[in-house]
């Protein structure tokens, strides 16, 4: 069983988050892959989300805007690299529609059956350790990801109650 930790492991240019969910693997995959669900939980505390387009397939693009509690809009664009239902969703942040690439990293989302629940692992892989540090300093990426996963957990719990 994966340790249910609120603190990520930082390994050079990689941040790894582990969590156990008392939720079936198929449901977790659905909540991470369908627009109707993503729009309800995605992002750190205080953020809301608007999806512009979602093409959930290998090579497909998801464009979305995260609306921050500060009133700012943060455009995002990701490209799906690997999808293996219900175990793997991998994508690369590639900037917004204007080609803006202030953050550029790969996220691997891994779901693994564990008894009646699911082990969850999210890996964020940056080009260098310095790039990870820059993105964390500028955007609070590590704390934001912790909140992001907590929001995912709360939403998942609401779907089984």
């Amino acid at each position: 069983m994966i340790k249910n930790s609120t603190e990520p492991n930082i390994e050079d240019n990689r941040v790894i988050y582990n969590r156990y969910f008392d939720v079936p693997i198929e449901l977790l995959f659905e909540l991470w892959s369908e627009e109707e669900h993503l729009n309800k939980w995605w992002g750190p505390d205080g953020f809301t989300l608007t999806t512009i387009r979602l093409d959930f397939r290998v090579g497909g693009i998801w464009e979305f805007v995260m609306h921050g509690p500060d009133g700012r809009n943060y455009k995002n664009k990701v490209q799906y690299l690997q999808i293996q239902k219900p175990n793997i969703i991998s994508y690369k942040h590639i900037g917004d529609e204007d080609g803006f690439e202030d953050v550029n990293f790969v996220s691997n989302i891994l779901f693994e059956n564990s008894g009646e629940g699911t082990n969850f692992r999210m890996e964020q892989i940056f080009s260098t350790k310095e790039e990870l540090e820059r993105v964390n300093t500028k955007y609070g990426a590590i704390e934001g990801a912790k909140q992001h996963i907590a929001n995912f957990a709360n939403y998942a719990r609401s779907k089984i109650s």
Side-chain angles (χ1 to χ4, degrees):
M1 174 188 279
I2 287 181
K3 182 175 126 187
N4 194 19
S5 173
T6 57
E7 291 305 314
N9 297 322
I10 301 170
E11 301 173 357
D12 193 38
N13 67 328
R14 175 184 309 242
V15 186
I16 301 168
Y17 306 82
N18 291 306
R19 188 158 185 161
Y20 174 80
F21 288 87
D22 193 18
V23 176
I25 192 171
E26 293 81 7
L27 178 58
L28 291 181
F29 189 92
E30 176 185 324
L31 301 180
W32 201 286
S33 62
E34 294 183 8
E35 180 178 344
E36 72 177 274
H37 298 296
L38 292 165
N39 287 341
K40 293 178 182 164
W41 69 265
W42 187 272
D45 294 349
F47 281 77
T48 58
L49 182 86
T50 301
T51 292
I52 298 167
R53 70 180 169 125
L54 174 62
D55 182 7
F56 187 72
R57 64 180 174 83
V58 174
I61 301 292
W62 179 29
E63 288 184 74
F64 57 96
V65 179
M66 293 175 59
H67 310 285
D70 59 1
R72 293 180 55 200
N73 292 321
Y74 301 88
K75 295 178 183 178
N76 287 265
K77 188 178 195 181
V78 301
Q79 181 174 34
Y80 291 101
L81 303 174
Q82 183 180 11
I83 299 170
Q84 186 179 53
K85 187 176 182 179
N87 301 102
I88 301 169
I89 301 171
S90 178
Y91 49 90
K92 179 178 182 179
H93 292 256
I94 58 174
D96 64 22
E97 69 275 1
D98 300 321
F100 179 69
E101 294 186 29
D102 191 39
V103 291
N104 186 336
F105 61 96
V106 171
S107 291
N108 296 317
I109 312 305
L110 308 168
F111 303 104
E112 178 184 66
N113 278 317
S114 179
E116 293 187 25
T118 307
N119 286 327
F120 166 87
R121 178 181 179 104
M122 181 172 85
E123 303 172 340
Q124 296 176 315
I125 306 164
F126 295 81
S127 58
T128 63
K129 180 179 181 177
E130 293 75 24
E131 177 61 6
L132 165 58
E133 291 168 354
R134 183 192 71 79
V135 172
N136 190 47
T137 299
K138 185 170 184 178
Y139 296 107
I142 294 173
E143 179 58 32
K146 287 167 41 179
Q147 293 173 14
H148 177 75
I149 294 167
N151 291 335
F152 177 59
N154 290 336
Y155 185 71
R157 273 193 294 277
S158 78
K159 291 300 178 187
I160 60 169
S161 4

